[in-house]
Amino acid sequence: MNPPDASVATPAAAPRIIPRSEHAISRSGISPNALRVLYRLRDGGFMAFLVGGCVRDLLLGLEPKDFDVATDALPEEVKRLFRNSRLVGRRFRLAHVFFGRDIIEVATFRATSAPSQGDEPLPEADPEDGEVPELDGPQLEIEPAAPPARSPAQRARTGSEHHPEATAELMFDASGRILRDNIYGTIDEDVWRRDFTANALYYNIADFSVWDYVGGAQDIAARTLKLIGDPETRFREDPVRMLRAARFEAKLGFQIEPATAKPIGALRQLLAGVPPARLFDETLKLFLTGQGARSFEVLRSRGLLAAMLPTVDAYFGSHPGSLVEKLLLQGLRNTDARVLADKPVTPTFLFALLLYGPIAGIIESAPPEHWHELATILEACDRATREAQARLAIPRRFALGVREMFALQPRLEHPRGRRSLRLLEQARFRAGYDLLLLRAEHGLAPPDVAQWWTRLQQVPPEERGRMADALAGEGSPPQAPHRRGRRRRRRSRASTPA
């Protein structure tokens, strides 16, 4: 592919080399395992750089989640250097070097003639976020035949020639999206393959300098997110870049430069052609990495939520400022707090939040006297999930989890003596209870019931029995508030299920 218009910033012929004295990256902030990989590549006579989001985060003073390495060594050469490595990927082969559960990803420089997939070696994988690309067949575990030897001068070159032994293999679909990409190149070409200038910095282990071809250091200092090359072309090559732009806007607080943001409105429907499994992965990155509430706001403002989850966007468009929207945002803020506290989070609870509006809308389309019936609730969950799966693949275990969470709501709202104690043993109890708390906080479930369940979990087992017996003897005292809440919901049909 030819370079874009001259009016668009393109990689310079030579990088701006920022010496160690002029940047804040210290080896103390780099993973020891990443350093081992870098040093072994260097000692083997190869170029070795940290690249992508980890360099960006180090410059921002953040702790990177993953460390990715770029080199002029071919995948087979990397595999010979590291016995603890495995080659992965069919569309673009790279090496994973294993240190226990820690994986350092090593990618060979890619050629200018194969347009970029951002920091992604595969359309379905994002190494910056630790996603594992599809594995090749067992034949990749066999020691490969040695490729033609290269001289030190060939290995160190930064010109425009490709590896002579590399096989050129590049395919696009009708919309311009990359389908297959397996062309190796040099560092001068590899930089053109990256998506945003902030992700196109290379940290050189040879002298601890940072190589900047596209003004990435300046854009990081200005907190600006800018695509390399023509934005429309780059978004067409890989529509997921629009979601990545939204994610970085939410995660880093960067502003998307106007030229990069301009095509998003016209091209967002290209996301409908992205494999649903990949959109599922991107959804988890957007909402389960600590910036879920902000990601939701950015997606809506950019019109991207409508392309990812049309029914979710449609519900909030027809119910602006509703209690359900407030519940969703509070649930996402709670999830963000758990991520930042290094507590576990689950896609099941995330999709219960995201699909709450569509589920509520389906329930409210039924006669009010059926709103609290289990069959109505389950049918609404199944239908809302099916509609969402038209765009993104929600694995069955998470879809069933959402169904179970909503099925628990009537039973949690109507505790019945000692039978209620059995709910504590159910696998989905905690998630269902958390949803009940959120609903009660926003007036969508009886607060007395939520308080009763909270106390029940705090007291010793023998006290639980007495609480359940008292509840049965008093005829379920929380029922009066529940009935009042139910009448309120019937007056305002923009309410909630269960």
Side-chain angles (χ1 to χ4, degrees):
M1 175 178 166
N2 295 325
D5 296 339
S7 60
V8 182
T10 59
R16 172 196 171 200
I17 296 181
I18 306 171
R20 173 64 186 90
S21 60
E22 296 180 17
H23 65 74
I25 297 178
S26 168
R27 279 171 291 173
S28 64
I30 300 174
S31 156
N33 293 328
L35 288 173
R36 290 187 184 100
V37 172
L38 291 167
Y39 281 128
R40 188 176 297 181
L41 285 168
R42 184 201 64 179
D43 294 344
F46 299 104
M47 303 176 75
F49 295 82
L50 284 182
V51 67
C54 61
V55 180
R56 178 201 66 216
D57 289 349
L58 288 168
L59 288 173
L60 288 169
L62 304 175
E63 182 179 352
K65 187 170 64 173
D66 300 295
F67 291 87
D68 299 321
V69 173
T71 180
D72 61 342
L74 293 170
E76 292 79 6
E77 293 173 318
V78 176
K79 193 172 191 304
R80 280 195 294 275
L81 279 176
F82 299 93
R83 296 184 62 184
N84 54 325
S85 67
R86 183 179 184 184
L87 300 187
V88 299
R90 292 189 182 93
R91 293 177 181 84
F92 186 82
R93 296 176 70 187
L94 45 77
H96 279 178
V97 184
F98 295 86
F99 298 89
R101 299 185 64 181
D102 188 18
I103 300 174
I104 305 299
E105 188 163 87
V106 182
T108 304
F109 297 140
R110 286 174 286 174
T112 308
S113 56
S116 172
Q117 291 176 243
D119 289 336
E120 301 155 326
L122 299 172
E124 294 81 10
D126 185 348
E128 178 186 333
D129 293 287
E131 183 183 336
V132 178
E134 59 181 307
L135 296 180
D136 274 344
Q139 69 272 16
L140 286 186
E141 294 306 304
I142 300 173
E143 189 69 21
R150 290 183 290 147
S151 69
Q154 285 179 308
R155 290 196 295 265
R157 73 188 185 281
T158 57
S160 61
E161 294 181 5
H162 304 162
H163 289 299
E165 61 273 25
T167 301
E169 188 176 354
L170 177 65
M171 292 181 61
F172 299 87
D173 68 8
S175 70
R177 182 167 64 92
I178 296 173
L179 297 177
R180 185 178 302 157
D181 167 13
N182 200 31
I183 304 178
Y184 302 123
T186 65
I187 186 171
D188 285 359
E189 298 171 303
D190 186 78
V191 67
W192 173 243
R193 308 294 319 291
R194 311 227 161 239
D195 51 7
F196 300 101
T197 59
N199 293 341
L201 295 171
Y202 296 75
Y203 174 81
N204 187 2
I205 197 61
D207 59 4
F208 319 123
S209 62
V210 172
W211 290 23
D212 183 2
Y213 287 83
V214 291
Q218 180 180 341
D219 289 338
I220 289 174
R223 307 189 78 81
T224 298
L225 197 64
K226 183 188 301 183
L227 271 172
I228 301 172
D230 175 61
E232 180 172 347
T233 300
R234 306 311 299 283
F235 285 141
R236 285 188 179 278
E237 287 172 358
D238 186 359
V240 168
R241 287 199 180 106
M242 290 181 277
L243 299 182
R244 286 170 58 80
R247 175 154 58 93
F248 292 138
E249 182 179 3
K251 172 183 176 179
L252 303 171
F254 282 23
Q255 291 294 315
I256 303 178
E257 65 138 0
T260 295
K262 184 178 179 181
I264 291 178
L267 299 179
R268 62 192 180 196
Q269 289 306 319
L270 291 177
L271 289 168
V274 174
R278 190 175 181 206
L279 284 186
F280 170 77
D281 290 337
E282 291 298 325
T283 300
L284 300 191
K285 296 170 192 174
L286 282 158
F287 293 109
L288 294 184
T289 55
Q291 299 84 27
R294 176 63 180 149
S295 293
F296 181 81
E297 294 168 353
V298 171
L299 288 173
R300 289 198 70 192
S301 68
R302 299 287 179 189
L304 293 168
L305 185 65
M308 290 180 66
L309 291 164
T311 57
V312 176
D313 185 75
Y315 181 87
F316 292 120
S318 60
H319 298 81
S322 66
L323 291 177
V324 175
E325 182 174 346
K326 294 176 182 177
L327 176 148
L328 167 62
L329 287 171
Q330 185 59 53
L332 291 175
R333 285 191 286 268
N334 293 349
T335 299
D336 292 342
R338 290 185 64 84
V339 172
L340 296 177
D342 202 25
K343 296 180 179 179
V345 293
T346 168
T348 297
F349 194 80
L350 169 64
F351 284 104
L353 294 174
L354 291 174
L355 297 180
Y356 198 107
I359 291 171
I362 295 168
I363 289 176
E364 291 167 0
S365 67
E369 59 269 21
H370 297 307
W371 287 1
H372 286 17
E373 293 178 1
L374 184 60
T376 302
I377 295 170
L378 294 180
E379 171 57 29
C381 290
D382 293 342
R383 179 176 154 191
T385 301
R386 286 196 304 270
E387 291 172 347
Q389 287 175 326
R391 288 292 173 89
L392 60 87
I394 304 176
R396 179 176 175 81
R397 65 185 183 278
F398 301 133
L400 289 177
V402 171
R403 199 175 193 264
E404 293 166 2
M405 283 178 61
F406 278 90
L408 275 174
Q409 297 306 299
R411 300 176 68 184
L412 292 173
E413 285 193 45
H414 298 271
R416 301 178 183 277
R418 287 186 176 253
R419 293 170 57 188
S420 304
L421 302 182
R422 300 175 187 172
L423 296 181
L424 296 173
E425 302 172 1
Q426 292 201 9
R428 299 291 178 190
F429 169 78
R430 182 69 201 190
Y433 164 73
D434 287 344
L435 182 59
L436 177 71
L437 288 183
L438 267 179
R439 295 177 58 229
E441 181 179 346
H442 293 83
L444 302 173
D448 290 8
V449 174
Q451 293 168 10
W452 186 85
W453 282 106
T454 299
R455 173 163 171 73
L456 187 71
Q457 296 173 76
Q458 296 171 343
V459 300
E462 58 274 13
E463 179 64 21
R464 291 177 182 176
R466 287 193 289 270
M467 287 181 64
D469 291 340
L471 181 67
E474 295 172 7
S476 299
Q479 291 298 302
H482 171 66
R483 288 195 296 271
R484 289 197 299 273
R486 185 171 179 177
R487 287 197 296 271
R488 283 198 301 271
R489 288 194 294 277
R490 287 183 178 180
R491 286 197 296 268
S492 177
R493 291 181 64 86
S495 65
T496 126

